[in-house]
Amino acid sequence: MQRPIVTLPAGFLKFLQVDWDIDWRGQGLGENTGGGSAVVFNRFPRWVGAPSVFLEGAALAQWRGIRATAQGRVGVYRLPMVDPIGFDAGADMDLPFADGSSFASGTGFAAEPLGFAAQAAEAGAEQIRIEAEAAPRVGQIMSHELWPFVVTWVQQASAGVFDLGIQMPLRGAMAAGDPVLLTGMGLFEAIEDGMGRPSYGVTRSAQIKLNFREVLNR
């Protein structure tokens, strides 16, 4: 079955709290007679996150429509991994029309801050070289072809060119010139069918808790 992909409007989710992390999916084997323990890693790691967001007014109705399109755990969310301490794109993620107006929902066009691969890298690489206007930060979440990774170290190679250590290792081959999103973007699914069901009162606003895990089968 073809899973529907739902792309969230730019700047739609007003994130209050984020906790993006890599689930390395290790399985503990318990303690042995010598008091030691062991962990087996026999499944692919993936990103998980349970962000809290704030919605009000028409955005609540729009979210209801988005959830219905996703059909619970059937659909796949194309989701920006907003992380203001890693990379704060701010208003640059939500651009208005030339006259300053927005769509009826109050959102604008999606803007995705980019760097570019300065050289090719194979799948599995733990180091890449990119061109960017400013040095990336250690801990910044970035992505290539909707596969997110986190920057573990940064070294400037030349003006506007930076070598980066990354984890998880690159999950697809990168060609020179490929765009690299400076704010991570990935494909995620809801962990439960009722995820994000809003409840609101006379204020017509709600704080909702989301619960995502990365989709690996694409």
Side-chain angles (χ1 to χ4, degrees), residues 71-154:
Q71 303 171 50
R73 286 174 285 183
V74 174
V76 175
Y77 293 85
R78 184 181 185 271
L79 187 70
M81 300 170 71
V82 174
D83 176 32
I85 65 168
F87 179 75
D88 189 1
D92 291 339
M93 291 294 288
D94 188 4
L95 298 181
F97 288 93
D99 63 1
S101 63
S102 300
F103 291 102
S105 64
T107 59
F109 294 95
E112 299 176 339
L114 293 175
F116 295 91
Q119 63 184 28
E122 297 294 329
E126 296 184 5
Q127 176 179 333
I128 61 173
R129 175 171 288 186
I130 72 165
E131 299 177 16
E133 290 187 3
R137 302 175 184 173
V138 172
Q140 182 173 339
I141 300 172
M142 305 166 68
S143 62
H144 172 251
E145 295 187 342
L146 297 178
W147 291 110
F149 54 84
V150 63
V151 177
T152 57
W153 56 263
V154 179

Side-chain angles (χ1 to χ4, degrees), residues 2-8 20 45-49 73-81 112 141-149 168 171 181 183-191 211-218:
Q2 186 75 20
R3 302 179 71 179
I5 296 180
V6 182
T7 299
L8 299 182
W20 300 113
R46 63 185 173 196
W47 284 89
V48 295
R73 286 174 285 183
V74 174
V76 175
Y77 293 85
R78 184 181 185 271
L79 187 70
M81 300 170 71
E112 299 176 339
I141 300 172
M142 305 166 68
S143 62
H144 172 251
E145 295 187 342
L146 297 178
W147 291 110
F149 54 84
M168 291 175 268
R171 289 181 283 174
L181 295 185
T183 293
M185 184 79 70
L187 297 179
F188 293 86
E189 62 189 359
I191 288 182
N211 203 351
F212 291 112
R213 63 188 170 204
E214 188 180 15
V215 173
L216 300 180
N217 295 324
R218 307 183 183 181

Side-chain angles (χ1 to χ4, degrees), residues 15 42 47 49 56 69 76 92 97 106 156 174 207:
F15 285 82
N42 56 8
W47 284 89
E56 60 182 337
T69 302
V76 175
D92 291 339
F97 288 93
Q156 186 165 2
M174 176 184 288
Q207 180 175 333

